[in-house]
């Protein structure tokens, strides 16, 4: 007969790290190649799910960080203290946004910079 095991304590959930990319974005890849991070060559569905989930999270995190940097650039470019500042309309045209979105991004960028910048 086995002795009862002590109850396991719940572990604190560690933040997930982004998946390592196998190449830098923009790196030349053969044009006839239809490979996406080797996912198509995985036979084990558990392994495929794990790796695809890691990649999805990595890209989501990267997109969020890129948006933060866009916002900070928008705030800097529209800063009234700059002699070459852009209007919200000019910023919107340059970035492919609406003027309202450009204004909101600049405001968001200002709050990020006041708080120390983009998240690590």
């Amino acid at each position: 007969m086995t002795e009862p095991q002590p109850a396991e304590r719940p572990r604190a959930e560690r933040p997930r790290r982004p998946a390592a990319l196998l190449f830098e974005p923009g790196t030349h890849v053969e044009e006839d190649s239809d490979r996406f991070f080797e996912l198509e060559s995985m036979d084990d569905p558990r392994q495929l799910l794990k790796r695809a989930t890691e990649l999805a999270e990595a890209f989501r995190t990267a997109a969020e960080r890129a948006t933060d940097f866009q916002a900070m650039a928008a705030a800097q470019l529209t800063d009234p203290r700059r002699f070459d500042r852009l209007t919200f309309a000019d910023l919107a045209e340059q970035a492919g946004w609406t003027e309202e979105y450009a204004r909101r991004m600049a405001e968001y960028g200002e709050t990020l910079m006041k708080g120390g910048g983009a998240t690590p």
Side-chain angles (χ1 to χ4, degrees):
M1 198 148 131
T2 61
E3 292 185 29
Q5 298 293 321
E8 288 187 23
R9 293 185 308 178
R11 292 188 300 181
E13 193 169 321
R14 293 183 356 186
R16 294 184 62 137
R17 294 178 54 195
L21 299 178
L22 302 179
F23 61 88
E24 280 293 315
T27 301
H28 177 71
V29 179
E30 290 183 36
E31 290 189 28
D32 63 339
S33 174
D34 193 22
R35 302 179 85 54
F36 186 73
F37 295 96
E38 303 299 322
L39 294 178
E40 65 286 329
S41 64
M42 293 183 177
D43 295 327
D44 179 2
R46 283 183 171 82
Q47 181 186 14
L48 177 60
L49 177 63
K50 181 179 186 250
R51 181 65 177 151
T53 301
E54 289 172 345
L55 285 168
E57 188 168 317
F59 285 120
R60 193 175 305 115
T61 300
E64 289 171 3
R65 291 202 61 207
T67 300
D68 288 350
F69 283 103
Q70 280 183 312
M72 290 189 302
Q76 292 170 355
L77 289 169
T78 59
D79 186 339
R81 296 172 294 187
R82 289 178 62 112
F83 75 93
D84 61 345
R85 86 175 192 106
L86 296 179
T87 65
F88 294 126
D90 291 337
L91 176 63
E93 183 179 329
Q94 188 173 354
W97 299 333
T98 65
E99 190 172 339
E100 176 62 18
Y101 188 76
R103 183 185 61 75
R104 293 168 116 188
M105 283 293 278
E107 290 171 356
Y108 176 57
E110 288 174 18
T111 62
L112 285 173
M113 290 188 303
K114 287 176 185 172
T119 57

